[in-house]
Amino acid sequence: MQTYDLIVIGAGPVGENVADRAAQGGLAVVVVESELVGGECSYWACIPSKALLRAPAAIRSAQDVDGARQAVTGPVDAAGVFRRRDRLTHDWADDGDVEWLRSAGIDLVRGHGRLTGIREVTVTPTAGAAVTLRARHAVAVCTGTTASIPDIPGLRDAQPWTSREATSARAVPDALAVIGGGTVACEMATAYAALGSRVTMVVRSSLLGRAEPFARDAVRDGLVRAGVQIRSGEAIDVQRRPDGSVVLALDDGDSVHASEVLVATGRAPRTEDVGLQAVGLPTGWLHVDDTMLVNGTTWLYGVGDVNHRALLTHEGKYQARAAGDVIAARAAGAMVDDAPWGRHVATADHAAVPEVTFTDPEVASVGLTAAAAEAAGHDVRVVDIDLAGISGSATHADNYTGRARAVIDRGRGVLLGATFVGRDVAEMLQAATIAVVGEVPLKRLWHAVPAFPTIGEVWLRWLEAYGRDSA
């Protein structure tokens, strides 16, 4: 039996950050990982998906600038896209991350970790004897999520793609059917349509259901322009034929034929085999307070996607910084800063989460939508600006289209949320995130002068429109 101050189960970006912050706080830390150090984001999600999307986006940008479009002489080279993706995922080798753990003074035990008692984790390696670890202070479960497979007859037997297969594929399918309409579905439909696949989406409700309605409409229009067929309804049966093709029977009596089917209908917590029942907890999402401490415990933390607060890598890393610091503080008997916006809490999870969907156009948002703000009881003023009318947009692209929405609390004169839709708007999001988190008064934002000519002048247009309407 080996003893540490903190045991972290899961070595993705979340687990790495919990471990790092706790180690910097003076704790002895071990990380348990059953797959690759670096986790889902590094090898099967954020990094490879954006690698698949980047080359098509660069070509579209060049094609919309006279003088550059003449240099674009061919379609996206799928082989080159896959090569670049492989470089960015280090060919699915985690040597670099393992070396980083070593340099940070964090031990690594490879194998499947399960809770077998209070502050006790038993690790079963792929080969060799099991190892039991004891924690003096805390255990952090950072195991993330896995793709949900809906209970559609024949679907599992058809061996569908999930996000993992879509981001690690070695070839472009002639035809791809996508079940779902969320971020993964829209991004992978965008990527594979650009790589040459005939893509059909089967969407039960609206695309990007949590987004502002105008953002959903823009993404739908962009997918249609890219040649994606969007079918409203549900698949009621899926069959893999002897020739390898897949047939989806739809609830309207029609069918979709494809080479592969991608299921992107949501995520489930990876807690089925973490041993929660051994410590008196039900299997499922881990319910936590703002320090990521699991409700009803004094030693168990659930950090990242596994707590269902915000299923985004950057938000999980934010939670991890708070959790690692608070574990170290509690272990040392130091003061815990758990007031809203304190060092040891993840307050932003509640109403200041930034998110980008890398479709064409991109959708970047932070904070509350107009509907969510009204439902929360705020006195809301919505200001919409056509990004095409901004000088920076005209210099950025010849046919720039886009829209930006500010959701303002009239009573306090602060920004509650913002949504940008357009090419390359992802890089504009951090300014809005700072304004929302900092609750910067609009009257002070008048003095934050945007450079000319940039698309960032939308801030001036928002303030002008708000001031004019409020006069």
Side-chain angles (χ1 to χ4, degrees):
M1 182 176 292
Q2 302 175 47
T3 302
Y4 293 86
D5 294 316
L6 168 65
I7 302 168
V8 178
I9 305 177
V14 174
E16 288 177 322
N17 274 271
V18 173
D20 185 39
R21 300 296 284 220
Q24 288 186 44
L27 301 190
V29 183
V30 62
V31 172
V32 178
E33 176 54 53
S34 62
E35 293 185 289
L36 295 176
V37 177
E40 196 83 10
C41 175
S42 300
Y43 303 104
W44 300 287
C46 313
I47 299 302
S49 67
K50 302 316 168 279
L52 295 178
L53 288 157
R54 179 57 194 151
I59 288 177
R60 288 192 297 268
S61 293
Q63 289 172 334
D64 204 16
V65 177
D66 194 10
R69 75 171 62 96
Q70 290 81 359
V72 180
T73 57
V76 177
D77 179 57
V81 170
F82 288 148
R83 283 195 304 271
R84 184 169 185 265
R85 179 220 36 210
D86 292 352
R87 289 196 299 273
L88 289 170
T89 57
H90 305 289
D91 289 308
W92 288 271
D94 62 0
D95 298 3
D97 282 86
V98 171
E99 177 55 35
W100 176 82
L101 284 178
R102 187 178 297 113
S103 70
I106 300 165
D107 286 353
L108 170 66
V109 176
R110 289 193 184 271
H112 186 89
R114 295 178 184 85
L115 293 163
T116 48
I118 303 298
R119 292 189 294 277
E120 180 181 284
V121 175
T122 298
V123 184
T124 305
T126 53
V131 175
T132 299
L133 306 173
R134 289 282 298 170
R136 298 184 187 92
H137 299 289
V139 176
V141 176
C142 309
T143 48
T145 60
T146 188
S148 295
I149 306 295
D151 190 20
I152 299 172
L155 180 57
R156 290 184 182 275
D157 291 339
Q159 298 181 310
W161 280 7
T162 66
S163 54
R164 282 198 168 199
E165 289 75 23
T167 55
S168 61
R170 294 294 175 183
V172 178
D174 291 335
L176 176 66
V178 180
I179 301 175
T183 296
V184 171
C186 291
E187 287 188 347
M188 290 299 94
T190 300
Y192 277 95
L195 291 170
S197 188
R198 299 188 308 278
V199 179
T200 302
M201 299 180 72
V202 180
V203 183
R204 185 171 59 183
S205 53
S206 65
L207 299 176
L208 303 178
R210 295 178 302 164
E212 294 280 11
F214 74 89
R216 300 178 218 160
D217 292 343
V219 170
R220 174 179 282 271
D221 291 345
L223 288 166
V224 171
R225 283 196 304 273
V228 176
Q229 185 179 18
I230 302 175
R231 304 289 300 272
S232 296
E234 296 185 60
I236 59 173
D237 185 81
V238 178
Q239 296 296 324
R240 176 78 69 173
R241 289 182 167 178
D243 64 3
S245 65
V246 183
V247 180
L248 286 69
L250 306 184
D251 57 357
D252 63 1
D254 205 350
S255 60
V256 173
H257 296 249
S259 309
E260 298 290 350
V261 55
L262 164 63
V263 178
T265 54
R267 309 287 296 179
R270 227 180 236 163
T271 57
E272 287 294 327
D273 198 17
V274 176
L276 294 177
Q277 292 178 332
V279 295
L281 294 171
T283 299
W285 301 105
L286 292 176
H287 302 290
V288 300
D289 66 15
D290 276 3
T291 68
M292 305 298 112
L293 184 67
V294 174
N295 295 342
T297 76
T298 60
W299 58 274
L300 184 64
Y301 292 76
V303 194
D305 286 6
V306 75
N307 61 39
H308 206 230
R309 285 164 65 106
L311 276 63
L312 298 159
T313 296
H314 49 270
E315 208 69 12
K317 290 166 67 176
Y318 161 66
Q319 295 173 9
R321 293 189 290 272
D325 286 349
V326 81
I327 290 168
R330 285 171 173 156
M335 183 182 71
V336 171
D337 183 8
D338 59 359
W341 305 110
R343 176 182 177 186
H344 297 134
V345 291
T347 307
D349 285 353
H350 300 298
V353 175
E355 184 171 3
V356 179
T357 302
F358 291 88
T359 44
D360 179 29
E362 291 178 352
V363 177
S365 64
V366 64
L368 301 178
T369 62
E374 290 172 356
H378 295 284
D379 180 13
V380 174
R381 167 64 184 164
V382 173
V383 181
D384 287 337
I385 298 297
D386 182 359
L387 291 179
I390 294 175
S391 296
S393 301
T395 58
H396 191 77
D398 292 342
N399 300 287
Y400 196 98
T401 59
R403 186 174 171 185
R405 168 168 290 182
V407 179
I408 297 167
D409 183 325
R410 267 199 265 235
R412 294 186 298 143
V414 297
L415 190 69
L416 295 172
T419 296
F420 305 91
V421 176
R423 182 163 293 155
D424 301 325
V425 295
E427 299 303 330
M428 297 173 61
L429 185 58
Q430 183 63 2
T433 303
I434 292 169
V436 170
V437 170
E439 297 183 322
V440 182
L442 298 185
K443 62 182 181 181
R444 176 58 65 88
L445 286 177
W446 271 106
H447 301 282
V449 182
F452 179 87
T454 65
I455 306 175
E457 273 201 301
V458 67
W459 286 89
L460 178 57
R461 302 292 170 251
W462 272 340
L463 292 166
E464 288 174 335
Y466 180 72
R468 187 168 53 247
D469 294 340
S470 301

